[in-house]
Structure formats: structure tokens, C-alpha cells
Amino acid sequence: MLTNTENSNNQELVGFIWSIADKLRGPYRPPQYRRVMLPLIVLRRLDSVLEPTKQAVLESKAKFEAMGLEGDAFEKAIAKVAIGGDRQQPLYNLSEFTFQKLLYDPDGIASNLRAYINGFSPRARDIFEKFDFDSEIQKLDESNRLYLVIKEFCKPDIDLSPTRLSNLQMGYLFEELVRKFNEQANEEAGDHFTPREVIRLMVNLVFCDEQDIFKQGIYRTVYDPTAGTGGMLSVAEEYIKKQNPEANLGLFGQEYNPESYAICCSDLLIKDEPIDNIIYGDTLGIKNAKSNSNNFLPRDGHPDKHFHYMFANPPFGVEWKPEEDFIKDEYDNLGFKGRFGAGLPRINDGSLLFLQHMISKMHASPEVGGDGSRIAIVFNGSPLFTGDAGSGESNIRRWIIENDWLDAVVALPDQMFYNTGIFTYIWLVTNKKAAHRQGKVQLIDGTRHFQKMKKSLGNKRNELSPEHIAELVRLYKDFEQNGVSEVESDGQTHKRVCSKIFDNREFGFLKMTVERPLKLNFQASEERLARLSEQKAFQDLATSKKRKDAKVQQLEIEMGESLQNQILDALRCLDENKLYMSRAEFMRDLDRVLKNAGLKLKDPVIKAILAALGEADPEAEICRDKKGNAEPDSNLRDTEIVPLPDDITLPIPLGYDKDASVEELIKLVKEHCQAYLEAEVLPHVPDAWIDFSKTKVGYEIPLNRHFYVYQPPRPLDEIENDIKSLEADIMAMLGEVV
């Protein structure tokens, strides 16, 4: 976290940079400022890093070329001169230019700037290709803005050198500028970065009980499949290196937004972190993607890799239509051998796809000799409960919980993110639970652990202080049922239950279908006969599929109309005043009049007659099938949500596809469901029964319900007094007007 002085310096820099951006007005609209400003900030930062050794680099270049050095040997040698020390990631600039020298030739500044950029080491050049900055250079030059903007960046006020601005400060600077630029464009800033204090909480939760990561000589990997500008990777690294400066870390990620990817890579490059581990591409995958000259990878960039620690903030409520074909192919063809075996969520929110992807990259659990993995991911409320029993979302939750991977869910305050004011939730997922956590899930209510910001940033009005983070981590570590925390409300501090522990089974439920018998009366009245013309099977009698021969078509229609009239005439032979209370009796008379009329009708037409002449009647006899079983009335069909039996063993014997057999499940829950029916349903509708073949299993995490605290309404006399007081105030104001 930044000190007050560092934060003040950052705000000054943001102000200076924003004032430069305003000079682009005219050829650029405010939403387009980012196209110029973000790459120039990266370029100025790299220039500030390399400027002190510029002359030494140029002299060494000539020397190394004379020695015949080339390829990797040349890169390592020149990078050592440019940055100093034993640098692993080459960073240098071989052109004769610096930002300051670009000003010496105003007329040639565009070509000189291109030469300057092309003089960088290959990975640095790739960053500017992702920014697509070359196209902006021409536009800036033609509008006479290029020299002006470069000159502004050379002023002492814009000091982006490492001596003035640490890598951490640089990260915060990017965060604030990206937010401001996205605010101008009215875009989703949350697609690019997560507030640092939220990341810090995630990191603290993941590492609070970890020991291996802080041991000497142990290599551990950190991964973010939605890396954005690299904030989660940076904060995770910062946390680990603070406690173990010699930690051997590998940072991995993937990002599909070229601008965010460029910012992330520039930060890593300056810190001498491997950029090759950050992939530019779509993590979920795109089928038949068009070739991209920017080396865009339309699939998982780290196939077959596994990671020890994973963090992500996937976009909230964003549909996965572009990836649909790729994902469905993987789901259909690979099942659990791929990433999405448990199921697919609705097309309008792909959040749970990212979690499944991350779970597929967990190391084997310690129980089978592996290292295990820990995951922290930020969701909105949808993944907690969206989706009916048996749906993709519910099955994904069932798969995670029944495999005992869900460790905890932490509810965050609202108004924490820059682009949305909604409540968000951190899911902690792991296959290396401590013994006392196995078979359990902890829910933590952190919605009241925040402080108001002095100045709002977009929709972000609340923030987590270090004390709030420490308290939420304490609640997690204590793992206490009904764990209490002090929270502020209405200016007062009081104690509140903020931690609850549940068995995995408690999140599951059975959705059983309750049927009631079909009871119909029948009558051949003119009113009901008129309904027959509305039945599709009856209408189809007077249609023709002959499209080419008009005469044959007309003949078929006329024959159909004749048959319709014969059916109606036969039905009028029934007593129109007789009300049949038995379908069986009505069918006997119906068969008789149709036989007398010489009509032999197909089943769809018979069903149409029954539908038109029949009406529901609770006093009528039960309609039964050929085996004598009562037929269900679909209009009276209902469902009941029944908790899983206390003694059931997880995982339950039920597949995840929509046609999975429930036979084995029913053996375990039949008595439990029947007991529920007898206690809760039959006292109200004694003729009901359960159709066990339609039974489904669902899982949801109703976190808010578990922490709900009833607040009694204010006394009526108190409300009445307030109303009278308001009325008096209104009358007084009206009196002043009169």
C-alpha cells in the first residue's frame, strides 16, 4: 500500500498527465485519449529507466558488434550495460534517441520517434505493437500535436524515473489513469483491473496459512487467467517477496485485451520478470479464429500446466457467445478430460467457466502425493445461486462442493469497484484443505467491513482499510461457527455474527415433482364443440402438403373439410346436456358415435376432441392410463425443495449430463422424500404423489439469507409523530408563500 507521500505524488502525476491529455482535444475526443496517453506513459517510463546508461549502451553496441556478438549473447551483454546487474529479461534501446533528443528535430519527430521505438529490445517493441501506437504517431504528427505532447512529457513535472516512482507506485498510477480514461469512454473499467485493496485481501486469504511458499529453495507458481494489467500477479509477488525476498516465483497469466496486455508486460519487463509467461489471447478459446498478426492465441496459452496459486477477476455478467463453439466442442468431446465436464452456465455469464478452467489447472492434492493448489476468484452474486436444480450453474456448484474444493466465500461491501456498485464475493477454492476444514464451507459476511472514501472514484465509494483486511483474514483463520466481529453501523460500533460454518451437504437440495391426479368432465355442448376448431390436430385435417399441384392441393383441403364436418356431425349425436364425470364412460359413447358414422380417427385427433370437450373438475373421476395408474394433471403439477438427507454421503451417485439416470439417487432419498411429502404436502392435498423420475439435485449458496438479521419496524406512534411533524413543516412553508 502507498504511503501518504507516495499517494500525493501519484495524484500530482495523474493531474499533470491529464492536463497533457487535454491538449489532444480536437483530433481526439476524450474517450480516445487513452490511445495516445497510455503508450506514451509506458514509453516515458522505459526512457526514464534507460536514459542514464544511454551513452554507455551506444558505445557498447559498437564494441560488441566489432567483437562479432549477436543473438542471445548480444542481447544479454547489451542489457547488462543498459540496466546493470545480472538481468534475465533483455531491456535496452539501441537508437541514438531519448525523449529529450526527439525535441532537437521538430520536423522529423515522427520518423525519429518510430526509429526510437524500433531501437528497443524485441519484447519492448512487441508492447508498442499491442498498443497499435504506430497508427497514432501519424495522426498526431499531421495534427501538429506530436511535438507538443512529447515536449510536455519531457518537463520535470513528469518524472517517471525509478528513483521518483517505484514499481508499486507505477502500478497505482496506471490503475488510476486507466480508470479515468475508461470513465471518459464509459467503458467497463472492471475489465482491466481490480482495486488493490481487494487484491490484497485475496492474497492475504490465500497465503495466510501457507508455509512452503516462504521456505528457501522452493519454486512456486502464481497464475491469473484474466491478467488485465497484472495487478493480481504484482500484489501476490509483493506479498511473498516482502516475507521471503529470495522466494523463487513463476508468474503466469493470459489476457485478451491488447492494451491491458501491453501494460502488464511493460511492468514485468521493467521488474525483470519473464514476459513469455504472459500470453496474449483468449483463455476460454475461440473456434476458427482469424489469423492475427499480433500473435493473438485463440485458446488456453498454458495447456497441460498446473499452478500452485491462482487469482482472477473475470468480467461480471459478460456473455461467452464468441467462445461458445469452442467451449461446446470441448464439453461434448472431452467431458471431464477437458475443462468443462461439470456443465456450462447460461450464455450471458461466463464467470463459472473461468473457475472451472482454474480448477483444471490445480496440482494434484497432497492426499495423492501432489502439492495441491489454492484459488481466489471474485464474482458477483450470480454464481452463488443462479440456475435451477440440474442446470449448468447448479451442477458446477455441485461438482465443486461435493469434491470438497470450496473452502470459503467472503461477501464484500458494495461500491467497491470502479465500474459497478453491486455486492461482490471472493470464492476460495482449494484441494488442500486443512483437516479441520474438510467437508466444511465457511461463509464470511464482510459487507460492513469498509470505510468511506474521501473522494469517490467512479462507482467506488467504499474501500478496505488494512484493519478491515486483517479482521476478515482473522475471521477466516479462526474458522469459528457464529464468529463475531465488531462493525460500524449508523455511526455506532456493535458486535455482529460474521462467520458461519456449514457441512458441504447443507448447500444441496432435492427438487422433487409432486403430481396430482387428472380429473375431467366431458360434454358435447355447442360451446365445447366450437373449441375443437382451435385444436391444431383438427385444423391440420383441412391442410395440404402438396405445394406444386394446386388442383391436388385443393382436393385434399376439400376432403379434409368434409372429414371435419363428419366429425362434428358425429359428436352432435351425443346428448349435449349430459355431463360425463368419467372419461372412461365418455370414451365408450365417443367410440360408439364415431363407429356409427364410419369414422376411424388417428390418436392426435382423438386427443384434440378430448381436449376440446373436457374440463378440469375436482368432483370428476380420476383419469387413468391403460395400466390403471392415475394420470397426472400438468396444471396442478408442483415442485418441492427438500434438503438433502443428513446421512447422505457425498458425492451423490448422479451424473452431470441432462439425461443422467436418477435410479441410484432415488434408492438413497426415496424414504426421505416420502416422509417430507407425508408431513408437508399430504395434509393439504391428500391425493398427491411424487414422480421420482423427475427428481433433480441442486446446489446454491444463499449467503445473504444466512446472515440476515431481522430489524423490527418502528413503532406506529413514532411514525405518526414524524408524519405530523412533516405536515406541520409543509403548512409552515405554504404559509410563508401565501
Side-chain angles (χ1 to χ4, degrees), residues 213-265:
I213 189 68
F214 305 114
K215 293 180 181 178
Q216 297 295 325
I218 288 184
Y219 175 71
R220 288 292 181 262
T221 52
V222 184
Y223 172 64
D224 182 351
T226 58
T229 57
M232 292 195 176
L233 296 175
S234 295
V235 174
E237 180 188 35
E238 174 193 349
Y239 179 92
I240 296 167
K241 289 291 183 74
K242 186 176 181 180
Q243 301 184 58
N244 179 15
E246 303 303 319
N248 189 9
L249 295 177
L251 303 182
F252 296 80
Q254 187 157 344
E255 173 56 35
Y256 75 110
N257 181 284
E259 182 183 88
S260 298
Y261 171 84
I263 293 172
C264 178
C265 288

Side-chain angles (χ1 to χ4, degrees), residues 602-616:
K602 294 181 178 179
D603 286 345
V605 181
I606 295 294
K607 290 180 179 178
I609 293 172
L610 295 176
L613 304 189
E615 287 185 358

Side-chain angles (χ1 to χ4, degrees), residues 17 25 166 197 288 427 493 559 585 628 663-664 717:
I17 291 171
R25 191 180 296 273
S166 68
E197 79 271 18
N288 301 323
W427 289 35
T493 300
M559 291 175 63
E585 182 186 356
E663 185 176 344
E664 293 301 315
D717 56 348

Side-chain angles (χ1 to χ4, degrees), residues 550-577:
K551 291 183 178 180
V552 175
Q553 184 184 56
Q554 183 61 33
L555 180 61
E556 282 193 351
I557 293 173
E558 291 175 357
M559 291 175 63
E561 291 174 345
S562 175
L563 178 58
Q564 288 176 333
N565 291 327
Q566 291 178 58
I567 293 171
L568 290 171
D569 290 341
L571 294 175
R572 289 190 176 98
C573 293
L574 294 168
D575 183 355
E576 67 174 334
N577 295 316

